[in-house]
Amino acid sequence: MFVVLASALIGYVYGQDVSCEYQGGPNNKYSLNLTSIFGWRLEYKSPHGFDYIYTPCFNNEQCVQGNARYYANSVQYKIGSNECYHYLSVDRHQQPTYFYGGASWLFQYTDGQLCDVTQQPRDLNVWMLCDENFDEGAFVADVVEDTPCSYSMQIRTPLACVPESKHHANCQWKATSSENTTVYLDLSSENGNYYRGGVSTNGYEIFYSPCQNGLHCYQQFGQQQVMSIAENMVTHTCEQQLSEWQEGRVEPIFHDSNPDEIHWSFHYWLSQKCLDGTPGEQTIRWYCDENAVNSTVKNATYDGNCRWEINMLSQEACPSSTMYSEHQGLVMDMKELYQKVKQHKLQN
């Protein structure tokens, strides 16, 4: 059986159409191109006596186990030995997942060498982190075996970086908190949603389509598509076109001085003036609500002076949300991962 498996892997390696370009993020609009490091052997020497090798994009490592020869993209050696100790993963063109909260791409491999402890194949999670401190290349910053035969590898490279303008255009922003930490707001999943606020005292109702100009406003000067409108509830017509989606160029301000009112605020100057000639303004706030399953409208107001507001409640506005730090229970922060490994060892 081992010989058959090895032969299959060999055939897969030499018959595969090697590609080093991947897509991810909102609607697969982000690109990860590893062509420049194709053929590289990225190495990490662990303080626990192991040497790890990873070859991006294809299976360039040989691992001899008994009479079988395996080809893999990641292997483990004992330091000082020239013989492969275990192979950890096989490249089968797995597509990575992009995480805005950690500016990283995650490759998940689940077909490594059979584990003596779990009797399951070894698995490897490779995190490719954006690092703009150097211009090219990549290096392995860390490898952790968080549970028996389950590994996490951190690779730092500028190739994993996505330009800020692309993030903004896809409804993703970041800011610095009062504690000097980076916090994230990812509203990309809101694209395609529509919200309506309650009717104000002057009979207007505000409609809002995050991340897009998804609302029509028909007026004498023609039809406009905008992100938010005020509708006259008597005539059921668009009374005022409000904010426009500008490819995310309007960046939010993060407010955390009051821990009970953590929120992000967007401020828009309106292209259409009010009837009295006053320049219009709209403020859209996203408030942190850790208990919110779905985003909802908190309230919507109009002050009578051409200033409009709509306030949202959402878990997406919470810096503490696991959507910015974990994926299916996998921790993106290697320091936090070390803490979990430490706790696991103490418990066992």
Side-chain angles (χ1 to χ4, degrees):
M1 177 177 179
F2 286 136
V3 175
V4 172
L5 178 58
S7 299
L9 287 175
I10 293 172
Y12 182 80
V13 170
Y14 291 105
Q16 65 180 330
D17 180 19
V18 177
S19 174
C20 276
E21 296 185 33
Y22 308 92
Q23 305 297 317
N27 299 316
N28 287 327
K29 291 183 178 179
Y30 300 161
S31 298
L32 174 66
N33 191 340
L34 303 179
T35 304
S36 63
I37 59 172
F38 174 77
W40 285 33
R41 298 179 79 245
L42 302 177
E43 182 177 3
Y44 178 78
K45 293 186 181 298
S46 164
H48 305 294
F50 292 109
D51 192 4
Y52 295 91
I53 305 293
Y54 178 71
T55 58
C57 309
F58 80 126
N59 302 305
N60 196 37
E61 293 300 311
Q62 299 184 36
C63 190
V64 177
Q65 299 289 321
N67 295 323
R69 185 185 302 274
Y70 299 89
Y71 286 81
N73 69 338
S74 180
V75 295
Q76 178 189 45
Y77 291 84
K78 286 186 175 180
I79 292 179
S81 172
N82 292 323
E83 296 184 4
C84 171
Y85 189 52
H86 296 121
Y87 71 88
L88 307 184
S89 60
V90 177
D91 189 296
R92 302 184 187 277
H93 291 325
Q94 291 90 336
Q95 290 296 312
T97 302
Y98 182 76
F99 293 96
Y100 180 55
S104 58
W105 298 77
L106 169 63
F107 289 87
Q108 294 180 285
Y109 304 100
T110 58
D111 50 4
Q113 185 175 336
L114 191 69
C115 176
D116 296 335
V117 178
T118 65
Q119 296 303 306
Q120 297 295 322
R122 284 172 164 76
D123 63 82
L124 172 68
N125 294 312
V126 176
W127 297 93
M128 289 206 167
L129 276 62
C130 167
D131 192 330
E132 296 177 317
N133 290 318
F134 53 106
D135 297 327
E136 59 185 3
F139 74 96
V140 181
D142 228 330
V143 179
V144 176
E145 185 175 2
D146 45 340
T147 58
C149 303
S150 182
Y151 308 83
S152 291
M153 176 181 292
Q154 182 189 103
I155 296 176
R156 307 191 75 88
T157 173
L159 302 175
C161 299
V162 175
E164 276 299 295
S165 58
K166 282 194 174 183
H167 281 306
H168 297 170
N170 286 286
C171 236
Q172 298 175 324
W173 300 269
K174 63 183 177 181
T176 302
S177 72
S178 59
E179 297 179 352
N180 204 33
T181 59
T182 301
V183 290
Y184 300 88
L185 177 66
D186 185 353
L187 301 180
S188 58
S189 63
E190 298 287 348
N191 194 326
N193 292 340
Y194 296 85
Y195 298 97
R196 59 191 300 175
V199 180
S200 64
T201 55
N202 58 354
Y204 292 133
E205 185 170 23
I206 298 177
F207 290 81
Y208 173 42
S209 60
C211 312
Q212 61 171 328
N213 290 322
L215 296 169
H216 296 272
C217 188
Y218 300 93
Q219 294 188 335
Q220 291 181 350
F221 52 81
Q223 173 188 340
Q224 298 290 324
Q225 276 192 259
V226 293
M227 184 170 64
S228 181
I229 63 171
E231 185 173 293
N232 187 317
M233 298 310 295
V234 176
T235 61
H236 295 288
T237 57
C238 176
E239 186 76 18
Q240 176 83 29
Q241 66 182 53
L242 303 179
S243 56
E244 299 174 35
W245 174 243
Q246 302 171 36
E247 298 302 315
R249 288 187 290 273
V250 175
E251 296 187 41
I253 299 172
F254 179 66
H255 306 265
D256 63 348
S257 58
N258 182 350
D260 296 324
E261 294 284 333
I262 292 175
H263 66 282
W264 302 74
S265 64
F266 295 84
H267 184 87
Y268 297 91
W269 295 101
L270 309 185
S271 59
Q272 181 186 355
K273 294 182 179 180
C274 285
L275 294 177
D276 63 358
T278 304
E281 303 174 42
Q282 184 179 31
T283 300
I284 300 175
R285 300 183 185 89
W286 285 79
Y287 283 87
C288 167
D289 185 346
E290 295 179 342
N291 298 317
V293 178
N294 298 306
S295 302
T296 58
V297 177
K298 179 181 180 182
N299 57 43
T301 64
Y302 174 62
D303 73 350
N305 293 311
C306 213
R307 288 197 293 267
W308 312 79
E309 293 184 358
I310 186 166
N311 299 305
M312 306 292 299
L313 296 173
S314 176
Q315 195 176 100
E316 295 162 331
C318 302
S320 59
S321 173
T322 55
M323 68 177 287
Y324 300 119
S325 60
E326 296 185 14
H327 170 63
Q328 298 177 354
L330 298 175
V331 181
M332 285 186 276
D333 187 332
M334 293 297 277
K335 290 182 179 179
E336 188 174 342
L337 179 58
Y338 268 120
Q339 292 299 318
K340 288 195 173 184
V341 172
K342 189 176 181 180
Q343 292 174 6
H344 175 79
K345 290 180 177 179
L346 291 174
Q347 293 170 359
N348 293 278

